[in-house]
Amino acid sequence: MIDKIDHIGVAVHSIEEGRKLYESLGLEVEHIEEVESEGVRVAMIPCGESKIELLEPTRDDSPIAKFLEKRGPGIHHVCLGSDDIDADDRRLRAEGVRVLRPEPTIGAGGCRVQFVHPKSAGGVLLELSEPPANDP
Ligand code: ZN
């Protein structure tokens, strides 16, 4: 079941530049990590029960690098928090929704994630994320 907006993913050329505005607003970067498989550095900035996720490419052929090349910096995806991503993944598939991965994979922060193609989500790249604490 989906229970909140977990975070908003924002593509940036530089986390060091991108974080400044949020820090001016009194928010703090919780942690920064590299997700090697995605070619991306990720900075999580908690904001109430949601977060801002800054995404900086680490190589030219990564999905974020391609996004920046085509569209420039800006909102990349919206992430919905799930308490059972396998069930949500199955439900979407059963309804013919186009998901990007054969099954949920491990993303930033050890969360299990799946993505819904923008063509199936009104033009929005939708991420579903289940925190690691929910793993059996
Ligand atoms: Zn995300």
Side-chain angles (χ1 to χ4, degrees):
M1 198 185 82
I2 300 300
D3 51 16
K4 66 173 174 180
I5 293 179
D6 187 81
H7 63 264
I8 309 286
V10 178
V12 296
H13 288 294
S14 157
I15 284 175
E16 293 319 306
E17 282 301 310
R19 67 190 287 176
K20 287 179 187 166
L21 170 71
Y22 300 101
E23 288 171 335
S24 298
L25 291 168
L27 302 175
E28 288 174 15
V29 172
E30 183 180 64
H31 74 278
I32 296 180
E33 72 176 276
E34 189 169 334
V35 183
E36 173 65 36
S37 59
E38 298 294 317
V40 70
R41 265 179 91 220
V42 178
M44 279 296 186
I45 304 173
C47 179
E49 71 163 13
S50 298
K51 287 163 267 182
I52 303 289
E53 179 186 62
L54 301 182
L55 303 154
E56 174 195 290
T58 56
R59 51 173 199 262
D60 290 345
D61 64 344
S62 69
I64 290 295
K66 287 179 186 154
F67 178 91
L68 285 167
E69 202 175 292
K70 252 196 245 169
R71 302 167 68 170
I75 292 182
H76 177 261
H77 65 269
V78 172
C79 179
L80 303 178
S82 169
D83 63 359
D84 186 348
I85 197 165
D86 293 308
D88 288 324
D89 184 49
R90 273 196 305 275
R91 182 179 311 126
L92 292 175
R93 287 168 193 282
E95 290 174 11
V97 171
R98 196 168 151 196
V99 293
L100 296 191
R101 297 180 177 175
E103 58 184 24
T105 55
I106 303 294
C111 292
R112 297 180 64 229
V113 300
Q114 175 62 284
F115 288 89
V116 179
H117 194 283
K119 287 204 166 123
S120 283
V124 177
L125 175 59
L126 210 55
E127 177 182 12
L128 306 182
S129 172
E130 179 184 333
N134 283 352
D135 283 349

